[in-house]
Amino acid sequence: MESRRGIKETGFAVEQIDTTTPHPARMYDYYLGGKDNYEVDRAAAQQVLDLAPEVGVSARGNRALLHRATRAVVRAGIRQIIDIGTGIPTSPNTHEVAREINPDVRVAYVDNDPIVARYADAKLTNTGNAGFVLADLRDPEGILDHPALREVIDFDEPVALMLMAVMHFVEDGEDPGRIVSTLTDALPEGSYLALTHITADFRSQGELGKSMKVYDNATAKLVLRPYDAIMPFFDGFELLEPGLVQMPLWRPDEAPPEGLELAQYVGYGGVGVKR
């Protein structure tokens, strides 16, 4: 179904935006200081921050890592990117960062929040060589086969797949390993996977647990996973240095935080190449 230029949807209608239930993408926008959210999102996000301010710190760290990872894969020769769970457009977006290095990079954005689709024309796809698919990560086959994605991405050439701060919204019963492997199996040799994931490894489960329960009333629950449960997402990929590390430690642009400041970043991040 095509609703507007460059926007093709599967399973959702833009008019069906739920303003009564917190949505993780809009809560994330609030963490980043954005304005594209509703009162229900702001209330839930602020409740999380009151309980665990490190979630806001980690959200900003995740965004910074997205930018560093994008620059790294484009410098390595990647010319096409799939960004799943892109969230509310917050400049600089993936295509803007990538095109600072190479203006020919093509980007396919995927998100399941109709409000993201509302902004896609103006902020994501308006410069060309970019597409948007309104779809859910839990249907990886639907994403891979979607015409809007296929118009932008050529699977005969290496692709960078961005799964930034999205896999922790997939519960164990939804088979997150199968979802990731379905997506990565479609990528040719020389492709990259960039992934971040929240964890309780640097805080006790109890310390973060109360704040994470706020997501129980959102459109997607949040799952804290340890290092050993995140590493398998990179099966079939060779991790680039420095491996799977706390987000600000992945190829920082400046001296990374240490000690208590570093402990505020409750997420891992890494980038791997498919050999």
Side-chain angles (χ1 to χ4, degrees), residues 44 47-49 51-52 55 206-215:
Q47 186 178 358
V48 171
L49 294 178
L51 292 166
V55 172
E207 285 181 301
L208 281 178
K210 288 184 179 180
S211 65
M212 297 303 100
K213 285 189 177 299
V214 174
Y215 283 92

Side-chain angles (χ1 to χ4, degrees), residues 229-248:
I230 299 169
M231 269 297 294
F233 292 141
F234 286 97
D235 284 353
F237 288 77
E238 178 184 330
L239 278 170
L240 305 184
E241 291 295 335
L244 183 64
V245 294
Q246 276 177 278
M247 292 180 291

Side-chain angles (χ1 to χ4, degrees), residues 243-263:
L244 183 64
V245 294
Q246 276 177 278
M247 292 180 291
L249 301 182
W250 197 89
R251 301 192 178 186
D253 294 326
E254 53 190 30
E258 300 177 345
L260 292 177
E261 184 182 358
L262 178 59

Side-chain angles (χ1 to χ4, degrees), residues 108-129:
Y109 292 101
V110 182
D111 202 282
N112 72 345
D113 186 0
I115 197 173
V116 179
R118 288 184 58 188
Y119 292 99
D121 267 348
K123 297 185 178 181
L124 297 179
T125 65
N126 60 316
T127 58
N129 276 344

